[in-house]
Amino acid sequence: MKGLIFGAGNIGRGFLGLLLAKNGFEITFVDVDSVKVTAIQAEHGYPVFVISEGGIREEAVYNATAILTTNTEAIERAIVEADIVLTAVGKDALKYLAPTLARGLVRRMKERPRDEMHVAVVACENVQDNTTFLRDLVLQQVANELTTQLVQTISFPNCVVDRIVPNTLPRKSASVLAVAVEEYFQLAIDGEGLKGPFPSIVGIDVSENLRATLEQKLCTLNMAHAIVGYFGYMREYQFIHQAVTDSDISQLLHGALWEVSEMITNRHACIAPTQQQEYAKQVIARFKNPHLRDEIVRVARQPRRKLGHEDRLIKPAILSAEQGNIPAFLVSGITAALHYKYSADLEARELVKSIRENGIEHVLQHVSGITPESDLGRLVKADFLLRAL
C-alpha cells in the first residue's frame, strides 16, 4: 500500500506519516522544503517522540521518501500510484498544490483500469469543510468535460483531525526530522463522501455523522485550546499546562465548556450529555500534560483566523446565543483574543492595528461577521472596552 502526503511538517510527519507507517504503508511526502526532502530521501524515515501522561516513548517511521514540489512529473506519478492521498499544508497553501493534484488525478483516470481509478483525497487541515475546499480548487483546474467523471470517480471526504503537535522536542535527537506528538489523536472521515472502497487503516474512523463530530471538536477542543492560550498570554505564562492550572483561567475555561456542552447536546441528539462531559474532561486532562510543553504563542497564533465567523471562538458563541443562552464565558475568550498583542505574530499585529484605526465594531463586522448591534456584538464590545480601560 502506498500513501502520498502533501506536507512534511510536524503534522505530516508526526501524525499522518506515523499513522500510515504503523499500518504498513510506503510513504511519499511532497514538500517545498529542500532540506526536509533531502533528509527524508537520505534517511528513509525519522524518529517520533510520543508524549503521554505517563512519559515519553520513541517510535520510528520507515519506508519513507520525499519529492520536492517543483518535481511535478514525479508528484503526478505518485498520485497515479497512491492508495490514499492526504494533505497537511494549511488551508492557504492548498491552492498551490491543487494544479498538480488535478493533473495527477486526471492522469490516474486515464492510466489506471476503471476498477482501480478510485482513490480518497483527504485534506487533513484544521478548518471546516476542509476537503470540500480542496476539491473545489482541484475542479477549477480540470477541463469541463472531465469534472463529472472526476467527481464520480475520486473521493473527497471531509475529515476531523485532532492531535497536539508541539514545536519543541522533549529531548535531543540526531535527526533533523525528529518530531514530537501527543499520544491521543483522532482522525475521522465522512463516510458519506466516499465513492469507492477506503483502505483499512487502524486509527482512521469512517463516520456517518461527521458534522456532529466536527462541531463537537471545533466548539470544545479548539475553542478551549484557544482561550487557554489567550488567557495564558494575558497572565504571561509560557506553556498551556501552566495556564490551565491557574485558578482564574480554570474557572473561565470551565464556564466556557459548560456553555458549549449545553449547546452541543441540544444541537446534536447523537451526543449525550455524559459523552460531552467526558469529552470536555479529556480535553482538560490533555492540556494539563506537562510533558507536552505546548507553547502559548503556538496555540494563540493567528488570532484573526481564529476569530472567523465559522471558527472556534465565534461559532460556538453564535450557536449558543441562537438557542437563547447568554455565552458570557465564551465572550470573555473572544475578548481575550481581541487583546492578543504578541509582536512576533503578524495577524496579531494586523488585528491590533485594525482595532486602533477602525474601531472594535468594524473588526467584529468584517473579521467575525457579527453585527455590532446584535446582543452578541454588544456583549463582546462591552467586555472589550472594559478590558481596555
Side-chain angles (χ1 to χ4, degrees), residues 128 211-212 215 219 260-271 310 315 319-320 322-323:
Q128 191 168 353
R211 181 64 58 180
E215 284 196 358
C219 297
V260 162
S261 293
E262 187 174 32
M263 179 272 291
I264 287 290
T265 54
N266 286 336
R267 187 171 168 84
H268 298 289
C270 61
I271 301 177
E310 293 294 318
K315 183 167 185 174
L319 293 176
S320 179
E322 287 177 350
Q323 293 180 0

Side-chain angles (χ1 to χ4, degrees), residues 68-349:
L68 201 60
T69 50
T70 53
N71 191 350
T72 56
E73 171 61 29
I75 297 171
E76 290 176 24
R77 172 51 48 194
I79 294 169
V80 172
E81 297 176 355
D83 295 293
I84 188 170
V85 178
L86 306 174
T87 78
V89 297
K91 181 182 178 181
D92 292 341
L94 291 174
K95 61 186 175 185
Y96 299 112
L97 66 86
T100 304
L101 178 57
R103 291 193 299 271
L105 292 173
V106 169
R107 282 184 59 175
R108 184 185 180 94
M109 293 190 300
K110 292 178 179 179
E111 296 178 16
R112 295 192 65 148
R114 179 171 294 275
D115 61 346
E116 296 180 5
M117 289 182 186
H118 174 263
V119 70
V121 178
V122 188
C124 301
E125 317 296 345
N126 199 17
V127 293
Q128 191 168 353
D129 296 328
N130 37 31
T131 313
T132 297
F133 179 78
L134 175 59
R135 180 201 64 192
D136 293 345
L137 291 173
V138 169
L139 292 179
Q140 292 172 18
Q141 306 294 324
V142 177
N144 291 336
E145 64 270 17
L146 294 174
T147 55
T148 299
Q149 182 187 4
L150 191 145
V151 169
Q152 293 176 345
T153 303
I154 307 299
S155 294
F156 291 91
N158 289 317
C159 73
V160 174
V161 56
D162 175 13
R163 191 168 210 170
I164 296 174
V165 182
N167 284 332
T168 56
L169 293 176
R171 54 177 176 255
K172 291 183 178 179
S173 173
S175 174
V176 298
L177 300 169
V179 61
V181 296
E182 177 191 25
E183 182 178 51
Y184 175 89
F185 71 89
Q186 178 187 30
L187 178 52
I189 70 163
D190 183 8
E192 295 182 355
L194 293 176
K195 306 296 174 58
F198 187 79
S200 178
I201 301 175
V202 176
I204 297 184
D205 175 37
V206 179
S207 173
E208 299 304 323
N209 196 345
L210 191 75
R211 181 64 58 180
T213 303
L214 176 63
E215 284 196 358
Q216 181 187 45
K217 187 247 180 182
L218 179 76
C219 297
T220 309
L221 170 70
N222 294 141
M223 177 280 297
H225 212 195
I227 67 171
V228 171
Y230 295 122
F231 291 143
Y233 180 80
M234 296 176 77
R235 280 284 169 95
E236 299 184 349
Y237 290 112
Q238 183 179 1
F239 299 108
I240 289 294
H241 71 269
Q242 297 169 330
V244 77
T245 55
D246 180 295
S247 60
D248 292 331
I249 293 176
S250 178
Q251 289 186 68
L252 289 167
L253 173 61
H254 279 83
L257 287 171
W258 183 86
E259 291 171 351
V260 162
S261 293
E262 187 174 32
M263 179 272 291
I264 287 290
T265 54
N266 286 336
R267 187 171 168 84
H268 298 289
C270 61
I271 301 177
T274 53
Q275 291 176 308
Q276 177 63 22
Q277 290 163 13
E278 283 301 313
Y279 185 77
K281 287 169 64 176
Q282 184 184 58
V283 163
I284 296 173
R286 293 168 65 190
F287 292 173
K288 288 182 177 180
N289 186 350
H291 299 294
L292 275 175
R293 297 180 65 80
D294 201 7
E295 292 184 304
I296 292 287
V297 293
R298 185 198 77 83
V299 175
R301 65 188 174 187
Q302 299 178 320
R304 185 183 182 94
R305 175 174 64 85
K306 291 182 170 75
L307 286 163
H309 188 74
E310 293 294 318
D311 217 295
R312 66 208 68 197
L313 298 175
I314 302 299
K315 183 167 185 174
I318 290 174
L319 293 176
S320 179
E322 287 177 350
Q323 293 180 0
N325 300 315
I326 300 175
F329 289 94
L330 290 168
V331 165
S332 292
I334 293 169
T335 306
L338 289 165
H339 278 285
Y340 183 60
K341 299 178 181 178
Y342 182 53
S343 61
D345 189 312
L346 176 61
E347 279 198 13
R349 296 201 308 271

